[in-house]
Amino acid sequence: MGGERKLAELEAVGSIPTGDAIVKLFLAKMMIDLTTPVAAVSRVGKTTASRLKRLGIETVSDLIFYYPFRWQDFSQISDISELQPIDAATVKVKIQIISNRRSPAKRKMLTEALVADQTGSIKVIWFNQPFLTKILQPGDEVYLSGKVDFDRYNLQLVNPVYEKVSADTTHTARLVPVYSVTNNLTQKQIRFLVKSVLPLATLIADWLPPEISQENNLVNLNLALNQIHFPKDKKILDLAINRLKFDELFLFQLSVLASKLDIALSQSEAIDFFESQTKNFVASLPFTLTNDQRKVAWQIVSDLQKNQPMNRLLQGDVGSGKTVVAAIAMFNVALNKKQAVLMAPTEILASQHYQNLLNLFKDSNLNIALFTRSQRQVNGRVETKKKILSDLSSGDIQLVIGTHALIQQDVEFSNLVLAIVDEQHRFGVNQRKILRQNSGDKKITPHLLSMTATPIPRSLALTLYGDLDLSIIREMPKSRKKIITKVVDPKNRKQAYEFVRNQVKTGRQVFVICPLIDLSDKLGVKAVTDEFEKLKKEIFPDLRIEMLHGKLKPADKERIMANFLAKKSDILVATSVVEVGVDIPNASVMVIEGAERFGLAQLHQFRGRVGRSIYQSYCFLFTESQTEKTKARLNALVTAKDGFELAELDLQFRGPGEIYGTIQSGFPEFKIAQLIDYDIIIKAKLAAEKVLALGLDKYPLLKQKMEQTNKAVHLE
Ligand code: ADP
Ligand code: MG
């Protein structure tokens, strides 16, 4: 730790050789290439290496492909005399005086400096970085980039980033990359590491066919990789972003088209439609199907009757009732004495689907299994893995519900004919291939149904997922009441809590969702624990509160969800793990903390966790942010009529190029491309068609890249 801190300090002021020099040295000794573990390059030790690993960075190449998610514009150098209160300014100054003192009130260490340029001088203050007085000395020329604010009557620079003046700066006086980092890794460290390996990007062959690059005005890969991290200016940054988005979308389109071709050439089992049994089943449900549910169920059973594999995307807003549609398809498969699998993204969802289906099929004599990493059951009884595997391969089990564990393990089916994937954008070509190999008869490809609540506009969906047929449920069950949504100002918090207490008194239950406090808190442990403590100790000491976050063992998660479902707890404090699919009909209030930190589509998903029964339900959006933009954005949740409208508003509020990241983009499979990149999507599609028409064999580099990408997807 001490050693690392020291390195960070040294590197921060450029007093050790920077990137280029180190790389040249290593390269000369033939010590590093793209696959070299990152620790060997940076020499920063095991701790940093393991922190990097948490970000998915293990090799030099991973580091190069770890794109920033935004850039801070420190490129304008201001004169001190011109400074105004502003979030980000950069000055080029000479240090006059610098010293440490302890703040009287809070016992914080303060470092104060007076700095000057030709136009004037200004005070600088840093908190808790006493080592600065060793690094920065009177007479040093530095860039300082940071916030300008009033200290009583005079302006001062607060906690600026500092860097010695040079022609090639890293942290100041330029567009500075900002990365997502985990706890204890600093932006400076990542920038330093990236910069030191970036020269190696030249070793990465540009796999894009030159004619495709030319036609689409794309910069070459090496340039794009260099400029995405350390852009010379905004214009070239846009070119780099454009190229790297194209890469993702192009590869994606290639795999979509390949899968389309693959499907056209493959055979599936035709599943007879058992009309009267299906009618009886539908009649046995505690509700009547909506017209849309009927329509899409019909589309699906019609597909199943063909020898051509179905490849259908079922879109429907949260709560629109997709599960029962899936059940109708599975029911017919079972009546045909064949097997079906339903896959969910989380254990919680898988086990909920399993419980649901057990319930829906309680009058049939089907064998229904649950298979996840930690849970194996058949018809409500715990079973061994061995027994389930053997009953799957003999065909004794007709329906199996699970997570990805189902395809990661060597599960053999007797006659798998239908695979249903819930709440996932896209089921990879490879995963389908795996199921095919496992389906007993090697020549048979299972029918595939993907279900999602993410509302992608139809035209976009068709362009993007050109290999899919689309079914949409737009109509909500009639019994559903509109959820009353309120954006709650801090001053009304107390009132909202009173309301919550009253709801609990009448027997209802409440969700409280917390945003991640920082990126290091990926599993939400801190966010959830803090909120839990607060509610438990200060707000609702008399209520039964439980918490749910990503660090808990699957068995504990199950227990907590089961308790909540069984009304053994009143309030569930959770991270976004409850986002998709979870069904607690008795819950009537959804409280969302830090609502401004979530995308509209995501908030809509949270809200969909309540209002699933006859009870009037409520969604409270707590926010500390008072900006007009936040208010307008959150108000869209009050006014928009459905998830489709929200998805489009979400994109408008964000605007192109504002921010990207996997959570925000609406594309879990992309690092940088977004739904809004419609132009690039179309260009990438045309390019992919062209390349495939000529044959991939003509492009060995591209072929290799595709194989790598597919492998990576498969390993997830
Ligand atoms: P989603 O489309 O979000 O997956 P679910 O399938 O989980 O929605 O259904 C949400 C709830 O609505 C479930 O409790 C389900 O039993 C119920 N439901 C489904 N269809 C109808 C309907 N036609 N009328 C009333 N309730 C329904
Ligand atoms: Mg669902």
Side-chain angles (χ1 to χ4, degrees):
M1 185 66 208
E4 283 179 28
R5 163 51 75 75
K6 215 168 216 147
L7 181 66
E9 287 169 22
L10 289 171
E11 144 253 297
V13 286
S15 47
I16 57 167
T18 50
D20 275 20
I22 293 181
V23 170
K24 276 178 197 137
L25 196 73
F26 275 107
L27 268 179
K29 293 186 181 170
M30 292 300 284
M31 278 175 68
I32 71 168
D33 62 25
L34 293 164
T35 60
T36 305
V38 71
V41 183
S42 62
R43 296 180 296 173
V44 285
K46 276 196 186 131
T47 330
T48 301
S50 81
R51 285 172 191 154
L52 287 168
K53 194 170 168 188
R54 268 193 272 154
L55 298 175
I57 302 171
E58 298 189 54
T59 64
V60 166
S61 159
D62 294 339
L63 209 43
I64 293 174
F65 285 94
Y66 196 73
Y67 307 148
F69 69 93
R70 66 183 179 92
W71 298 261
Q72 202 154 16
D73 190 353
F74 287 148
S75 59
Q76 298 299 325
I77 314 283
S78 309
D79 287 341
I80 288 179
S81 63
E82 288 170 1
L83 286 178
Q84 300 286 334
I86 190 176
D87 271 351
T90 299
V91 290
K92 184 180 175 188
V93 296
K94 202 175 245 174
I95 296 184
Q96 313 285 309
I97 317 168
I98 183 163
S99 66
N100 289 327
R101 75 181 169 91
R102 205 171 275 281
S103 82
K106 295 184 180 156
R107 300 191 59 234
K108 266 189 195 157
M109 263 319 242
L110 305 179
T111 305
E112 289 170 321
L114 188 70
V115 300
D117 65 10
Q118 276 99 352
T119 68
S121 63
I122 188 170
K123 192 180 140 191
V124 188
I125 185 158
W126 285 279
F127 299 102
N128 287 324
Q129 301 183 57
F131 59 84
L132 284 178
T133 50
K134 288 194 202 114
I135 300 172
L136 302 175
Q137 322 248 296
D140 285 350
E141 271 213 290
V142 292
Y143 288 115
L144 299 176
S145 293
K147 193 178 165 120
V148 183
D149 219 341
F150 275 106
D151 166 35
R152 288 171 209 263
Y153 309 110
N154 296 314
L155 288 175
Q156 65 175 5
L157 270 162
V158 185
N159 262 338
V161 184
Y162 51 88
E163 188 171 20
K164 289 215 168 148
V165 168
S166 75
D168 179 27
T169 54
T170 306
H171 313 288
T172 59
R174 62 170 308 134
L175 286 170
V176 178
V178 182
Y179 300 91
S180 21
V181 293
T182 58
N183 221 355
N184 300 323
L185 273 176
T186 64
Q187 292 293 338
K188 279 192 168 179
Q189 261 177 306
I190 303 260
R191 284 182 208 136
F192 169 74
L193 288 175
V194 170
K195 201 168 194 182
S196 62
V197 300
L198 215 40
L200 288 166
T202 48
L203 299 179
I204 305 169
D206 193 338
W207 44 269
L208 213 52
E211 63 266 34
I212 299 290
S213 290
Q214 255 161 35
E215 283 164 16
N216 294 285
N217 294 322
L218 301 171
V219 296
N220 74 51
L221 184 58
N222 183 29
L223 182 95
L225 289 170
N226 274 283
Q227 294 297 320
I228 192 100
H229 291 289
F230 294 100
K232 286 212 168 54
D233 56 45
K234 282 188 175 146
K235 225 161 132 189
I236 198 155
L237 173 61
D238 281 343
L239 291 174
I241 291 176
N242 189 54
R243 155 75 209 235
L244 298 173
K245 283 181 169 176
F246 186 93
D247 281 9
E248 285 183 344
L249 292 163
F250 177 63
L251 282 174
F252 180 75
Q253 283 301 326
L254 280 175
S255 82
V256 164
L257 293 173
S259 120
K260 193 173 176 178
L261 207 66
D262 188 57
I263 290 165
L265 295 174
S266 52
Q267 286 273 308
S268 65
E269 196 98 42
I271 301 303
D272 291 335
F273 176 45
F274 283 69
E275 191 172 349
S276 65
Q277 284 91 332
T278 304
K279 280 191 171 143
N280 288 340
F281 172 72
V282 170
S284 78
L285 295 171
F287 44 76
T288 42
L289 292 184
T290 62
N291 287 330
D292 279 357
Q293 281 173 314
R294 278 176 205 284
K295 193 176 81 193
V296 302
W298 177 250
Q299 289 169 339
I300 292 164
V301 294
S302 306
D303 280 1
L304 291 178
Q305 291 171 62
K306 298 178 189 149
N307 282 114
Q308 189 78 45
M310 168 171 73
N311 197 26
R312 190 169 280 279
L313 178 67
L314 172 56
Q315 281 192 321
D317 214 337
V318 260
S320 62
K322 296 182 289 293
T323 316
V324 64
V325 172
I328 291 172
M330 296 177 95
F331 184 57
N332 276 281
V333 167
L335 293 174
N336 278 263
K337 307 248 175 312
K338 306 277 191 249
Q339 293 171 301
V341 44
L342 169 58
M343 261 194 290
T346 63
E347 297 230 350
I348 293 179
L349 262 187
S351 84
Q352 187 168 309
H353 276 315
Y354 166 73
Q355 299 298 345
N356 262 339
L357 292 171
L358 277 186
N359 195 24
L360 286 173
F361 293 130
K362 60 181 181 298
D363 300 329
S364 69
N365 50 2
L366 299 180
N367 289 325
I368 305 176
L370 172 66
F371 191 100
T372 68
R373 202 183 308 196
S374 67
Q375 298 184 89
R376 280 120 207 171
Q377 292 189 17
V378 178
N379 298 343
R381 288 185 317 273
V382 174
E383 268 300 354
T384 62
K385 178 174 168 186
K386 202 170 151 207
K387 173 85 166 103
I388 294 189
L389 289 180
S390 105
D391 286 356
L392 280 172
S393 73
S394 72
D396 273 357
I397 292 173
Q398 289 91 22
L399 306 183
V400 57
I401 295 98
T403 52
H404 266 66
L406 265 174
I407 49 172
Q408 272 153 7
Q409 315 236 359
D410 287 327
V411 179
E412 294 271 344
F413 292 93
S414 153
N415 45 27
L416 179 71
V417 297
L418 171 64
I420 302 178
V421 191
D422 191 24
E423 307 290 6
Q424 210 148 5
H425 277 257
R426 195 165 186 279
F427 189 63
V429 188
N430 294 297
Q431 290 160 334
R432 186 199 276 264
K433 278 193 184 137
I434 291 165
L435 285 174
R436 173 161 56 197
Q437 279 146 19
N438 285 347
S439 69
D441 183 341
K442 295 240 179 326
K443 288 190 287 297
I444 296 299
T445 299
H447 294 285
L448 179 65
L449 177 66
S450 311
M451 304 196 292
T452 178
T454 307
I456 305 169
R458 186 182 180 92
S459 59
L460 182 57
L462 290 178
T463 313
L464 255 181
Y465 306 108
D467 55 337
L468 291 173
D469 294 311
L470 206 55
S471 290
I472 303 181
I473 306 182
R474 277 207 176 255
E475 187 187 4
M476 294 299 257
K478 293 209 173 43
S479 55
R480 235 18 77 76
K481 291 200 178 71
K482 195 167 162 43
I483 298 166
I484 297 175
T485 303
K486 291 242 148 72
V487 182
V488 183
D489 272 0
K491 64 176 190 304
N492 295 330
R493 189 175 268 271
K494 230 173 151 182
Q495 215 181 327
Y497 282 142
E498 268 324 293
F499 188 89
V500 164
R501 181 187 302 281
N502 283 329
Q503 283 287 306
V504 172
K505 270 193 195 140
T506 62
R508 302 286 78 72
Q509 289 164 288
V510 178
F511 285 107
V512 177
I513 307 286
C514 317
L516 301 190
I517 293 172
D518 54 53
L519 285 157
S520 63
D521 188 31
K522 262 193 181 142
L523 300 172
V525 184
K526 179 162 166 47
V528 167
T529 315
D530 288 358
E531 182 68 18
F532 173 79
E533 298 284 327
K534 181 183 112 191
L535 293 179
K536 185 96 210 153
K537 291 201 181 115
E538 296 164 29
I539 321 275
F540 302 120
D542 49 326
L543 302 184
R544 301 166 303 171
I545 311 181
E546 291 217 75
M547 58 176 179
L548 191 67
H549 56 65
K551 189 84 189 277
L552 295 171
K553 291 203 187 79
D556 291 332
K557 284 188 201 164
E558 292 305 324
R559 183 178 42 75
I560 291 163
M561 283 315 291
N563 281 350
F564 198 53
L565 190 61
K567 304 181 195 170
K568 287 184 193 159
S569 52
D570 304 312
I571 300 180
L572 185 67
V573 185
T575 56
S576 56
V577 284
V578 298
E579 177 181 355
V580 282
V582 180
D583 196 13
I584 308 281
N586 187 51
S588 67
V589 187
M590 168 58 67
V591 173
I592 302 169
E593 288 288 342
E596 74 281 359
R597 295 184 184 219
F598 296 105
L600 291 178
Q602 206 182 2
L603 291 169
H604 179 65
Q605 288 272 346
F606 294 143
R607 179 170 58 180
R609 298 305 105 223
V610 296
R612 307 196 126 224
S613 64
I614 51 161
Y615 306 117
Q616 175 61 53
S617 295
Y618 306 85
C619 176
F620 295 141
L621 304 163
F622 284 163
T623 174
E624 306 290 323
S625 163
Q626 296 294 333
T627 70
E628 287 306 312
K629 196 172 170 194
T630 303
K631 279 190 189 153
R633 206 168 70 90
L634 293 180
N635 263 319
L637 278 145
V638 182
T639 53
K641 71 176 182 313
D642 61 16
F644 285 86
E645 192 179 330
L646 276 172
E648 302 204 334
L649 283 173
D650 217 355
L651 293 177
Q652 283 172 25
F653 275 115
R654 246 184 296 143
E658 190 168 301
I659 197 171
Y660 66 81
T662 48
I663 314 160
Q664 292 283 321
S665 70
F667 280 142
E669 55 268 270
F670 296 151
K671 285 200 286 199
I672 180 166
Q674 299 185 68
L675 286 177
I676 206 169
D677 297 320
Y678 201 65
D679 292 352
I680 313 179
I681 290 171
I682 290 174
K683 283 183 183 161
K685 183 173 180 158
L686 291 174
E689 281 165 355
K690 187 165 176 181
V691 163
L692 283 185
L694 294 172
L696 259 188
D697 288 334
K698 225 182 129 211
Y699 307 100
L701 281 173
L702 179 57
K703 203 171 163 182
Q704 196 187 346
K705 177 73 185 173
M706 273 187 75
E707 278 158 12
Q708 278 168 10
T709 312
N710 288 341
K711 208 155 93 197
V713 170
H714 174 190
L715 288 176
E716 266 164 18

